[in-house]
Amino acid sequence: MNYNGFFAAALSQLKDEGNYRVFADLERHCGSFPNATNRGNDTGDVTIWCSNDYLGMGQHPDVLAAMHDALDKVGAGAGGTRNISGTTHDHVLLEAELADLHGKEAALLFTSGYVSNWAALGTLAAKIPDCLVLSDALNHASMIEGIRHSKADRQIWRHNDLAHLEELLAAQPLDRPKLIAFESVYSMDGDIAPIAAICDLADKYNAMTYLDEVHAVGLYGPRGGGIAEREGLMDRLTVIEGTLGKAFGVMGGYIAASANLCDFIRSFASGFIFTTALPPAVAAGATASIRHLKSSRAERAAQKAKVTELRARLDAIGIPHLDNPSHIIPVMVGDPVKCKYLSDILMRDYGIYIQPINYPTVPKGTERLRITPSPVHSDADIEHLVGALETLWAQCQLARLPVAAQ
Ligand SMILES: *Cc1c(COP(=O)(O)O)cnc(C)c1O
């Protein structure tokens, strides 16, 4: 086989479809996020409009100070797996902070949110005898991979469709172990799951619940505990999973659950046991970020205001975006080549960075620009973005919505 030819052909097909991914080589400016320098070409300074560092916590002085302190005090890496000399006091403190955030007995850290889903779901589903996993159709790749890896029986329920979920649950013996896996805020459409109703079904049919709150932790609830906190449901969920890499601005993933469940995953999950622990400075930074967002609501309020403002500005010029109850603004393009082109021109001519979201991240025909306003975007940033989109929508002859009479 001509191996190199095979790779080149596969890549060339991706390019033809407009689905080839190009990374933006950026250098962020500490202290002035969302600004960055584009090192990949000569476009100079850009404003980032698609970061999952939703609140700018990756630049927060408390977070940076905690990381500097830890680095100076204990050095760079953890030096091993948690089991073999990689557990530091910073890891222990972070797990306590996370358990408290979600009102659970315990929490367990992983090197990323991806790994936490893969390892926790994979281990639960594999080890619980005859476990059936009921997985929402739009679950994240990390959940899907974990469930697949477990080799447990799985059934996919139509996205957020309670009737379908109940139909599948009701078809099973009541005493069969079942695990319902879903997310709170779905990251591409920005819609939110009916968590309370799902918990009701779980109670009725004797199922466990596993909730991915990756796009909600730090952002919702009085202390940033997520949608389940906001809705007073944290105690009804068996497992809450989150990331430290998005709104908390650092890196890492976790589950929060009962002490026994966390101890079980700690003891049986290969993806927890056999990998080097997060650097202590990373853990310390995450702890500082969580602590800050537990007591400060200013970032959440300011983010909400920016999201509302941008939505209203897009509506005023008829730029189509998915209506949803979250902080995510998906501007719909519906064509991979145009989506990539828009993104390229925004970067090249306007210094605006919005990554195109194409298949397989979203279904074909729903290609979009996913915009995530943050408290640190200025009014001038919004003005500039809206002006650019207005010009490009005309230039590319993209569909607009009728604008309501003012
Ligand atoms: C990003 C993401 C993850 C993975 O979290 P990381 O910390 O980035 O690995 C898990 N679930 C969802 C829904 C995500 O969007």
Side-chain angles (χ1 to χ4, degrees), residues 75 92 258 289 405:
V92 175
S258 70
S289 182

Side-chain angles (χ1 to χ4, degrees), residues 295-309:
S295 59
S296 168
R297 300 181 185 198
E299 290 81 5
R300 286 189 280 278
Q303 185 209 27
K304 243 185 178 165
K306 298 288 178 193
V307 170
T308 306
E309 162 80 9

Side-chain angles (χ1 to χ4, degrees), residues 117-332:
N117 274 334
W118 183 80
L121 278 171
T123 303
L124 289 171
K127 297 280 181 195
I128 298 173
D130 196 31
C131 184
L132 170 69
V133 184
L134 297 124
S135 178
D136 184 284
L138 291 192
N139 275 343
H140 189 257
S142 55
M143 302 169 83
I144 295 169
E145 290 299 332
I147 295 163
R148 254 197 212 137
H149 178 75
S150 77
K151 300 196 171 69
D153 282 355
R154 62 175 182 273
Q155 295 181 346
I156 315 296
W157 44 294
R158 286 190 294 273
H159 177 56
N160 279 349
D161 185 334
L162 290 166
H164 191 212
L165 175 60
E166 176 150 28
E167 186 188 314
L168 296 176
L169 284 165
Q172 296 297 323
L174 191 62
D175 61 358
R176 179 174 189 188
K178 305 167 201 82
L179 176 59
I180 303 172
F182 63 115
E183 302 181 22
S184 58
V185 176
Y186 283 84
S187 70
M188 290 302 146
D189 288 353
D191 56 335
I192 296 178
I195 302 174
I198 292 169
C199 290
D200 290 344
L201 289 178
D203 291 347
K204 183 169 168 191
Y205 294 99
N206 196 20
M208 300 189 294
T209 47
Y210 184 105
L211 177 63
D212 175 318
E213 288 250 45
V214 160
H215 291 277
V217 290
L219 301 173
Y220 297 90
R223 299 199 310 158
I227 301 288
E229 188 202 15
R230 184 183 78 182
E231 298 179 1
L233 298 168
M234 292 196 295
D235 63 321
R236 297 193 62 194
L237 292 150
T238 315
V239 179
I240 296 174
E241 182 273 343
T243 185
L244 303 167
K246 290 173 181 167
F248 291 126
V250 190
M251 189 191 179
Y254 64 90
I255 58 167
S258 70
N260 278 336
L261 192 148
C262 288
D263 203 17
F264 178 83
I265 301 295
R266 186 185 74 90
S267 306
F268 289 107
S270 167
F272 174 84
I273 299 171
F274 296 105
T275 188
T276 298
L278 288 171
V282 168
T287 301
S289 182
I290 296 162
R291 278 191 188 148
H292 178 82
L293 290 175
K294 271 181 183 170
S295 59
S296 168
R297 300 181 185 198
E299 290 81 5
R300 286 189 280 278
Q303 185 209 27
K304 243 185 178 165
K306 298 288 178 193
V307 170
T308 306
E309 162 80 9
L310 182 58
R311 280 211 176 100
R313 296 292 303 273
L314 294 175
D315 286 341
I317 55 170
I319 302 270
H321 58 99
L322 275 188
D323 194 20
N324 67 50
S326 76
H327 59 283
I328 292 160
I329 306 182
V331 168
M332 305 308 280

